[in-house]
Amino acid sequence: MHLPDFGTVDEPSPLPDFCSLPVLFTLLVTGALAATVVWLAAGDHRDFSGYSVGILFVSWLALAIVVVLCLLRPWLRCLPGHLPYLAAWLLVMPIVGVASWVAHGLDGALHMNLVSGGTVAFVRDNVLIAALLGAAILRYFYVAAQWRLRLAAVTRAQVEALQARIRPHFLFNSMNTVAALIPLDPVAAERTVEDLAELFRAALGQHEQGDGTLDEELALLDRYLAIEQLRLGERLRVERLLDDLPRDFPLPRLLLQPLMENAVRHGIQPLREGGVVSLRGTRESDAIVIEIANPLPASPARGGNGHGLDSVRRRVAFRYGPRAIVQAGPRNERYVVSLRLPLLDKGDRDARTDRR
């Protein structure tokens, strides 16, 4: 089931986007069903012309309601609590009343005789039906919005838990490297401590909330690789090809680091001669593609339960939506992790940043 767009999850009582096609479609279908039920209840199944005019009237009514609520949505969103829904419900009834009065007048002026009864009864019945259906539809919108809020909160909690699960992994390894360097090369140990401090800041969330940029993520990768270079020496060689990527591309913090850590731990560390870890990026018309590849050792390295890659998958899905793709697997005797991240327009970028 497709739910209408309710805006960002930070709204205390988010209204549906009355300007969107899903909301208009919902009103049209509900109105058509109501008109069909009324036609069937009347028992006159042969009057298809009256039924057709009724569907046309309901469609015109739904369009008028959507236009008015769309224009007034900025004002409605300023109301506190549940008042936006109450105000929207109260606006529906005068719209239906005026439209019904006009329709009854046109029916009499054109002598179509499609509407039985007086103007007052026709307007009254339509307003009552609209009040009942409007309350039901707005209740549906409200429940769906609350469901989306809870889903976003659960997803955010899962992402934070996955982030916390991978933090100690590389931090403790780096601290062991620093301890080994202190008696051998104090200058390198001091530089490593500085790199480690930046990784601590990123991992423990001391930066501003929200996304970082690709350029900032690459800088963190350089610090991480500098630490691992001291531990592995010439066994670790890194190949970079990222010239085509926009360095200001919004990227969740520490998204690439666990992938690079997996490449070093499972692809380079088990090999006595070491190998090359490649970091490549290309830009497509509507997305960027980032690949991290490492050699496939004859026997897999011990340890590791997929938390790093699982975290990346969930964070990418949460941040970029269903258009993002994360693929991982062997390719030409190398293990390749590929991220295809869509280029978001400014509106989508701001909305998704608010969700962090």
Side-chain angles (χ1 to χ4, degrees), residues 198-315:
E198 286 300 317
L199 292 172
F200 261 109
R201 291 190 184 97
L204 300 178
Q206 294 182 9
H207 287 289
E208 296 180 358
Q209 296 296 320
D211 292 332
T213 64
L214 176 61
D215 192 58
E216 293 171 348
E217 184 70 11
L218 293 178
L220 286 175
L221 275 186
D222 288 340
R223 291 182 180 274
Y224 168 75
L225 290 172
I227 295 174
E228 293 287 40
Q229 193 79 58
L230 290 171
R231 185 169 66 91
L232 297 174
E234 296 182 354
R235 294 170 58 199
L236 173 61
R237 299 180 295 278
V238 181
E239 180 184 82
R240 294 178 177 86
L241 185 58
L242 301 164
D243 296 338
D244 295 335
L245 296 185
R247 295 305 179 99
D248 60 347
F249 182 82
L251 206 66
R253 301 182 189 280
L254 286 180
L255 183 70
L256 301 181
Q257 188 280 331
L259 300 179
M260 183 61 72
E261 181 183 3
N262 284 344
V264 172
R265 183 182 182 189
H266 301 291
I268 305 301
Q269 190 169 298
L271 299 176
R272 178 175 300 179
E273 70 280 7
V276 177
V277 174
S278 61
L279 176 61
R280 299 174 180 270
T282 57
R283 179 169 182 170
E284 299 179 355
S285 59
D286 59 345
I288 68 168
V289 178
I290 300 175
E291 290 187 352
I292 296 178
N294 59 267
L296 277 174
S299 58
R302 292 184 178 180
N305 47 18
H307 285 162
L309 184 57
D310 184 47
S311 171
V312 169
R313 290 185 189 276
R314 297 198 183 198
R315 296 176 70 192

Side-chain angles (χ1 to χ4, degrees), residues 11-314:
E11 297 179 17
S13 181
L15 280 172
D17 183 3
F18 294 109
C19 306
S20 66
L21 290 178
V23 171
L24 176 60
F25 178 77
T26 301
L27 293 181
L28 288 174
V29 170
T30 304
L33 289 175
T36 302
V37 170
V38 171
W39 177 67
L40 292 174
D44 187 6
H45 298 172
R46 294 171 297 176
D47 187 12
F48 289 102
S49 61
Y51 174 69
S52 301
V53 173
I55 293 293
L56 180 62
F57 170 69
V58 167
S59 302
W60 172 61
L61 201 57
L63 183 60
I65 292 172
V66 166
V67 169
V68 172
L69 294 181
C70 175
L71 294 175
L72 295 180
R73 186 172 185 257
W75 174 77
L76 293 173
R77 292 180 61 183
C78 296
L79 299 177
H82 298 93
L83 288 181
Y85 288 93
L86 178 60
W89 180 71
L90 293 175
L91 284 171
V92 168
M93 287 177 282
I95 296 172
V96 173
V98 172
S100 300
W101 179 77
V102 172
H104 193 279
L106 289 175
D107 181 73
L110 298 175
H111 303 287
M112 300 177 65
N113 298 322
L114 295 173
V115 179
S116 60
T119 304
V120 175
F122 181 70
V123 172
R124 180 198 61 206
D125 293 345
N126 287 345
V127 169
L128 289 175
I129 294 174
L132 294 174
L133 290 179
I137 292 174
L138 288 172
R139 174 63 180 173
Y140 158 73
F141 285 153
Y142 175 78
V143 171
Q146 296 302 311
W147 176 79
R148 290 170 65 97
L149 284 169
R150 287 193 292 270
L151 179 63
V154 170
T155 304
R156 187 183 298 112
Q158 291 176 342
V159 168
E160 291 174 354
L162 287 167
Q163 286 178 304
R165 196 182 297 171
I166 66 173
R167 286 168 186 163
H169 189 220
F170 73 91
L171 292 177
F172 291 148
N173 286 343
S174 302
M175 292 173 66
N176 290 333
T177 301
V178 172
L181 277 174
I182 290 175
L184 301 176
D185 191 343
V187 176
E190 181 180 358
R191 185 172 62 250
T192 304
V193 169
E194 294 175 355
D195 294 336
L196 185 57
E198 286 300 317
L199 292 172
F200 261 109
R201 291 190 184 97
L204 300 178
Q206 294 182 9
H207 287 289
E208 296 180 358
Q209 296 296 320
D211 292 332
T213 64
L214 176 61
D215 192 58
E216 293 171 348
E217 184 70 11
L218 293 178
L220 286 175
L221 275 186
D222 288 340
R223 291 182 180 274
Y224 168 75
L225 290 172
I227 295 174
E228 293 287 40
Q229 193 79 58
L230 290 171
R231 185 169 66 91
L232 297 174
E234 296 182 354
R235 294 170 58 199
L236 173 61
R237 299 180 295 278
V238 181
E239 180 184 82
R240 294 178 177 86
L241 185 58
L242 301 164
D243 296 338
D244 295 335
L245 296 185
R247 295 305 179 99
D248 60 347
F249 182 82
L251 206 66
R253 301 182 189 280
L254 286 180
L255 183 70
L256 301 181
Q257 188 280 331
L259 300 179
M260 183 61 72
E261 181 183 3
N262 284 344
V264 172
R265 183 182 182 189
H266 301 291
I268 305 301
Q269 190 169 298
L271 299 176
R272 178 175 300 179
E273 70 280 7
V276 177
V277 174
S278 61
L279 176 61
R280 299 174 180 270
T282 57
R283 179 169 182 170
E284 299 179 355
S285 59
D286 59 345
I288 68 168
V289 178
I290 300 175
E291 290 187 352
I292 296 178
N294 59 267
L296 277 174
S299 58
R302 292 184 178 180
N305 47 18
H307 285 162
L309 184 57
D310 184 47
S311 171
V312 169
R313 290 185 189 276
R314 297 198 183 198

